[in-house]
């Protein structure tokens, strides 16, 4: 697969390059990422588990490496991470089911 530690390090260098070219854009992303820290209703660990599930559904390797590190630092166990990933798997299966139904609807309309 990937050397996730090297990938994360290189990614952060490239994101830093982007930040130099477009600081407001990167600041906006950072503001969004840190918004939950202000209210902290869910806690860091739960937010990171949600982020991992979202990273899987959006197929973002960068998100996976950053939020996997943050989830581990927040104390998430392998079992908790696996459960969050199960939610992502279910949502992807659910989305495929919904879009399968939409596809059948499109085919039915074509057939009249």
């Amino acid at each position: 697969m990937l050397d996730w530690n090297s990938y994360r390090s290189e990614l952060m260098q490239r994101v830093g390059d982007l930040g130099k070219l477009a600081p407001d854009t990167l600041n906006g992303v950072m503001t969004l990422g840190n918004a939950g820290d202000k209210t902290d209703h869910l806690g860091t660990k739960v937010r990171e588990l949600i982020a991992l599930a979202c990273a899987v559904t959006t197929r973002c390797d960068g998100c996976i490496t950053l939020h996997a590190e943050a989830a581990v630092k927040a104390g998430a166990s392998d079992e908790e991470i696996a459960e969050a990933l199960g939610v992502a798997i279910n949502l992807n299966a659910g989305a495929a089911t919904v879009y399968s139904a939409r596809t059948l609807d499109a085919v039915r309309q074509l057939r009249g």
Side-chain angles (χ1 to χ4, degrees):
M1 294 214 175
L2 288 176
D3 178 341
W4 292 96
N5 294 324
S6 294
Y7 175 65
R8 185 173 48 258
S9 178
E10 187 172 332
L11 175 65
M12 293 310 296
Q13 290 175 11
R14 298 301 167 259
V15 169
D17 294 343
L18 175 62
K20 290 174 188 170
L21 296 168
D24 289 342
T25 299
L26 191 56
N27 286 336
V29 171
M30 296 298 291
T31 298
L32 288 169
N34 295 325
D37 292 340
K38 293 189 182 211
T39 57
D40 202 34
H41 295 299
L42 297 175
T44 301
K45 182 170 74 171
V46 171
R47 284 194 308 276
E48 292 304 330
L49 292 169
I50 292 169
L52 282 175
C54 291
V56 168
T57 62
T58 58
R59 296 171 182 90
C60 177
D61 284 342
C63 301
I64 289 169
T65 192
L66 294 174
H67 291 287
E69 179 183 43
V72 168
K73 284 182 179 177
S77 68
D78 289 350
E79 293 80 8
E80 290 170 322
I81 291 169
E83 189 169 315
L85 298 176
V87 172
I89 291 166
N90 179 48
L91 287 175
N92 281 313
T97 302
V98 168
Y99 273 82
S100 294
R102 290 172 64 90
T103 300
L104 289 175
D105 186 52
V107 169
R108 285 188 184 118
Q109 283 186 26
L110 287 168
R111 296 191 191 284

